[in-house]
Amino acid sequence: MYWSRTLIPTSREAPTDADILSHKLMIRAGLIRRISAGVYDWLPLGWRAMQKINAVIREEMNAINAEEIHMPALLPAELWKQTGRYFDYGALLFKLKDRKGTEMILGPTHEECVTELVKAYVSSHKQLPITLYQIQTKFRDEARPRNGLLRVREFFMKDAYSFHSSLESLDRTYHDMYDAYVKIFQRCGIPAIPVEAESGPIGGDASHEFICPCEAGEDIVVRAADNSWAANLERAGRSTPVPTFSAAPQMPEAKLDRIQTPDAAAIDAVCKLLNIQSTQMIKTMVFRSGDAKTGKWIVACVRGDHEINEAKIRRIAGPVELADEAAARAAGFVIGYVGPHVANTIEAELIIDPDALLTANATSGANELHWHVTNFNWKQHLSADVQAKAIIADIRNVTAEDKAPNGTDLIFSKGIELGHVFKLGTKYSDALGAVYSDDKQQSHSVIMGCYGIGSGRILVGALETLSDADGIRWPMAIAPFHVIITPIKYDGQAREVADRLHKEFSARQIDVLVDDRDQRPGVKFKDADLIGIPLRIVLGDKSLATGQVELKERSKKDPEMVSIDKIVEHVTKLVRT
RNA sequence: CGGGGCGUAGCUCAGCUUGGCUAGAGCGCUUGGUUCGGGACUAAGAGGUCGCAGGUUCGAAUCCUGUCGCCCCGACCA
């Protein structure tokens, strides 16, 4: 391709609304253009990179016998109502009506659709296992799209779904996928660490996320200092054993004191007012499970300096949500001033984190507006009945004071979630009736796994982690062009050589861009660095006179001189390895 | 959804507080000249319903109301 014939709108300045490096570079290098919040045009350079990423993904998917299909983005809402996700997904789901008034959605993911497909055609164990995938546009009406391509409303995703007649078979495919993911990110040249993630209904080792470590990321990864283990913060568990209620301190002489704390609901405010440490406090939060009629209250307690981990609560109590404030108040919870002993008077499931349980003479809410209590102790101030039913469980986020499973220190870092592999179980096949017959004519729900990669996020990860002050540095595998030819002046011998090399590289399937613009050399060099093509061939009069061209790798400081008749071979070698 | 900020040329922004000449600058763009190995210089130009609607006023980019759009922080840490 010739620069003058394509569209590469580079710019010296980044728009003010771009905050993170990758976003700035994508705009400056002319990869994408925003058309609406979280919705982008893909320009030639961006699109080329995207295609290369998808090509890598395709190759690795095909290599493990996953077969590509294509499902529609426009889906009937009915299908989603059958699994309940029409409601569970909430506002994140784009909803619309067709001309007949039929409710439709734009697919944010395709479990329903693919399960429906398999239900229609797979009925025997002999047809299993099977893995189908697609690379397709997903739609999610994000509350707050942000940071360029990091969180968008329309994006590319490779989503694969596997179907099995046994958990062992699911395990095999899961591991194949896991390995394929490792290869994909390696080939794309970006760092990605697999971490344990929330595992859902199957439990155990059923879910991994692949995280690209970088500051721009929205996820928090916890890993062992010796890299022996890593997990999503949601998932990371305490390393010390969970005690039973009897481990609570015995403080027979302690007396529960009420103390006035006007307008001090937050932990920090109370600590300041009473001049105590947050470790001396018990934080109590109220959750609600089930619907308004059948649901129950859940009172969760952690030490004041700890954060409640809602995913862990869900693991114990099933689907829960933080209680609606008005509803909780109506039920008698003094939101802002709730203490654990509220369970003495209001019927609720009490879940206590071990560190909260071991806190003696704690300060907590008094269950009265503008009042707290001090010297709270579990054994004295909970009724016998409540003590007997209380659940002691790990329900907080780990902190730097915790240890990895092997006892080493924990390190916390941010990262971008690039992909996710997940053992689904029979959630969707149950809901939609996707069953197969085994060899004894017994009917079973198909066992499923699902595996996603956000292709756009690979691009974000590459720019975030590999760029330098001058611009992008594409890994060869996903570079929009392998080589850029920069004639100092596109004229005379330089022009002849540029055209000839263009032809020869193209014939070898090497993607080449000739900067044929009538620009000063400085402009061309700056732009070449900015758009980050891995190899640059400079054609200048002086070197051409000696039968040589200058070859510079974007990631290296100094160029090398290569004779004209060797350059094609030389570059081909660099591109292929 | 809550809070904050911003909408003026393709891009980055000034002007607005205190209403008043033909609405400005830099970058980019067009044409000419000089330049030509790391974002050149110069001359002449093109380009704007000041987001939109309404209001106040003799007069609105500027004040008021509404509305749309965009960005940032937060979203359950009581």
Side-chain angles (χ1 to χ4, degrees), chain A residues 42-59 68 135 156 187-188 455-456 459 474 477-480 511:
Chain A
W42 287 84
L43 276 48
L45 281 188
W47 188 236
R48 276 174 175 267
M50 197 68 222
Q51 306 264 51
K52 299 241 173 142
I53 290 168
N54 286 337
V56 170
I57 294 174
R58 276 198 179 90
E59 285 177 25
E68 185 167 6
I135 296 176
F156 292 106
R187 284 184 58 188
C188 287
S455 333
L459 212 149
W474 292 108
I478 63 173
D511 297 323

Side-chain angles (χ1 to χ4, degrees), chain A residues 207-270:
Chain A
S207 169
H208 288 86
E209 289 170 355
F210 289 78
I211 305 279
C212 175
C214 68
E215 266 307 296
E218 296 178 326
D219 287 73
I220 296 179
V221 173
V222 185
R223 65 187 164 88
D226 64 357
N227 283 324
S228 61
W229 170 88
N232 189 301
L233 180 61
E234 275 204 334
R235 160 84 180 175
R238 60 184 293 122
S239 50
T240 44
V242 173
T244 59
F245 188 86
S246 59
Q250 292 282 3
M251 309 295 288
E253 71 286 357
K255 189 172 160 294
L256 196 64
D257 286 322
R258 286 168 75 241
I259 182 161
Q260 201 157 16
T261 51
D263 295 318
I267 295 285
D268 286 351
V270 177

